[in-house]
Amino acid sequence: MNRSVVHIVGARPNFMKAAPVISAMAARGMDQQLIHTGQHYDPAMSDVFFRELGLPEPDRNLGIGSGSHAVQTAGIMLALEPVFAELTPSLVVVYGDVNSTTAASLVAAKMGIPIAHVEAGLRSFDDTMPEEINRKITDLLSELLFVTAPEGLENLRAVGAPESKIHFVGNPMIDTLLANLERFDPAGPRTSLDLDGAYAVATIHRPTNVDSRAAAQRTVKMLDGMARVIDVVLPLHPRGQRSLAEAGLRANERLRIIEPLGYLDFMSLVRGATVVVTDSGGIQEETTVLRIPCLTVRRNTERPITINHGTNRLIEPEDVAEAVASIVAGDWSAPSEPPPLWDGHAGERIADVIVRWLGEVAVTRSH
Ligand code: UD1
């Protein structure tokens, strides 16, 4: 077995988490390779992030694309097995909770290749979310559990994960945010979208908010209600495009519907917003650090730290317009400190643990 490390990325939120880890490992001279599963493939969902975040070209792109959960997960597994057999990595690093994460973990585990999970221990306790299943399986199979928030420690201990596997390192997605903070300039989107006053940003893509006709209608009603209170910009994930249009979503002067944005444009837009309404996981964390009010249109969150220590609130779609109005009226206060270890150095901590771990494994094997 050689000492190379293979990183697996596939979907949009993976890229911001992997970038600081890959860069910290490169700074330590480590042998590493990057594999893109191709779960996300539109240039606006993938290529732009590689360019903006300085990620290296993937060494392989498996080109799996979209499909049902089984089709997508199985496709990634089938394509990865021969690649792992060829590369014989010492460690596979997986990120977050998307299907690519779990598919890679299952393949690596069955081949006896140790796994490091970045963003371990998060739990929504809602098994109707595919991401919750992905989190549980990946944590169970991982040798190194990199935890981004203290509640992750409790969740892992509660399921009996050994202390030796758990490393509280902070949040690499926030490393990326802090490293690029000066590049987030709201003037750009203000000009290109012709926004001259306060505005809200909305992102909605979860199956529970867009897939069924009833859910899509609720979401459309919510967006229309928001646009009666404030200008709304909605960068629309491909998943919701058809169902929301069928449910009656129409752009108007107060509701701008735009294509998904790259990282810098999106964060610039968010930085200038008065309020963000979302069902994303990562945006709950990003708004916490930027101290921008966030209303999360979900019944639960795997990121409760953004509620207890941040700016986030869970909300039903019917209550959004009123909550936005009260935020516009100034009824909101920002926390003073970011959550612990969301300080821009998580990637370095992760790289240090991996270097140490690889060294220990090498010593054990030589005896
Ligand atoms: C996936 C993740 C979700 C994450 C989201 C971020 C899983 C189970 N879900 O959801 O946790 O919040 O990414 O974006 O992994 N599509 C395109 N172009 C693309 C990618 C997708 O048009 O480049 C469309 C396709 O119609 C596809 C649909 O979006 O069927 C859903 O894509 P998929 O990767 O299955 O899940 P996401 O909803 O993107």
Side-chain angles (χ1 to χ4, degrees):
M1 185 182 277
N2 65 41
R3 297 187 61 200
S4 80
V5 173
V6 167
H7 304 264
I8 306 293
V9 294
R12 190 167 58 175
N14 292 157
F15 309 136
M16 296 81 100
K17 296 166 194 169
V21 179
I22 290 172
S23 131
M25 287 182 45
R28 286 155 181 75
M30 300 185 67
D31 176 13
Q32 53 183 343
Q33 303 218 32
L34 177 60
I35 298 180
H36 192 325
T37 65
Q39 176 174 346
H40 284 176
Y41 44 87
D42 284 347
M45 302 288 288
S46 177
D47 300 6
V48 62
F49 291 84
F50 277 73
R51 266 198 320 278
E52 293 182 343
L53 302 180
L55 274 161
E57 249 328 89
D59 296 282
R60 313 274 171 111
N61 190 323
L62 307 179
I64 296 305
S66 304
S68 69
H69 284 276
V71 165
Q72 190 174 60
T73 307
I76 296 168
M77 291 177 69
L78 287 170
L80 264 182
E81 192 176 45
V83 176
F84 285 168
E86 180 194 329
L87 299 177
T88 63
S90 300
L91 184 71
V92 168
V93 186
V94 297
Y95 296 85
D97 55 17
V98 301
N99 284 347
S100 300
T101 310
T102 309
S105 302
L106 283 167
V107 176
K110 295 275 179 92
M111 295 177 79
I113 303 167
I115 300 156
H117 184 202
V118 174
E119 204 181 84
L122 296 188
R123 293 290 183 274
S124 66
F125 302 101
D126 175 359
D127 284 343
T128 66
M129 289 181 71
E131 292 82 1
E132 183 71 356
I133 296 167
N134 290 341
R135 290 178 201 117
K136 291 202 287 196
I137 292 175
T138 306
D139 283 347
L140 196 63
L141 299 177
S142 292
E143 188 62 32
L144 293 174
L145 295 159
F146 291 119
V147 176
T148 53
E151 58 257 26
L153 300 171
E154 288 164 35
N155 293 336
L156 289 171
R157 286 171 186 145
V159 294
E163 287 300 317
S164 58
K165 293 187 176 182
I166 303 175
H167 302 271
F168 180 36
V169 290
N171 191 333
M173 200 181 63
I174 300 305
D175 290 9
T176 297
L177 182 147
L178 295 175
N180 288 285
L181 199 53
E182 285 177 12
R183 299 165 82 194
F184 305 157
D185 181 3
R190 273 193 177 282
T191 308
S192 61
L193 294 165
D194 196 19
L195 294 160
D196 54 9
Y199 65 89
V201 174
T203 78
I204 296 287
H205 75 287
R206 294 267 163 223
T208 46
N209 286 327
V210 302
D211 277 8
S212 76
R213 188 165 170 74
Q217 283 170 341
R218 260 179 115 195
T219 297
V220 170
K221 216 164 156 198
M222 174 192 87
L223 293 165
D224 285 341
M226 283 174 70
R228 268 182 237 117
V229 179
I230 189 170
D231 280 350
V232 179
V233 183
L234 174 69
L236 194 51
H237 185 289
R239 180 176 199 108
Q241 276 167 9
R242 178 154 11 119
S243 63
L244 293 176
E246 282 170 4
L249 183 68
R250 301 285 176 269
N252 60 49
E253 219 169 275
R254 303 288 303 265
L255 174 57
R256 280 119 159 129
I257 304 173
I258 60 174
E259 293 294 312
L261 295 172
Y263 182 69
L264 296 177
D265 282 343
F266 182 71
M267 294 309 300
S268 297
L269 183 70
V270 166
R271 196 176 191 185
T274 299
V275 55
V276 172
V277 175
T278 190
D279 58 8
S280 149
I283 295 170
Q284 298 172 53
E285 297 181 343
E286 288 161 335
T287 48
T288 287
V289 174
L290 293 173
R291 304 167 82 207
I292 292 176
C294 179
L295 300 171
T296 296
V297 192
R298 284 175 45 187
R299 296 243 158 101
N300 49 59
T301 178
E302 63 288 344
R303 292 163 160 89
I305 197 159
T306 62
I307 295 177
N308 305 330
H309 205 105
T311 63
N312 189 22
R313 197 179 126 194
L314 300 179
I315 194 160
E316 294 290 330
E318 290 71 22
D319 300 329
V320 166
E322 196 182 324
V324 167
S326 80
I327 289 167
V328 170
D331 182 12
W332 177 80
S333 65
S336 50
E337 295 289 327
L341 300 190
W342 291 19
D343 59 358
H345 300 289
E348 293 156 38
R349 292 187 196 100
I350 291 169
D352 285 339
V353 172
I354 290 178
V355 170
R356 206 167 54 234
W357 182 87
L358 286 170
E360 284 163 11
V361 170
V363 169
T364 314
R365 278 176 199 277
S366 68
H367 284 104

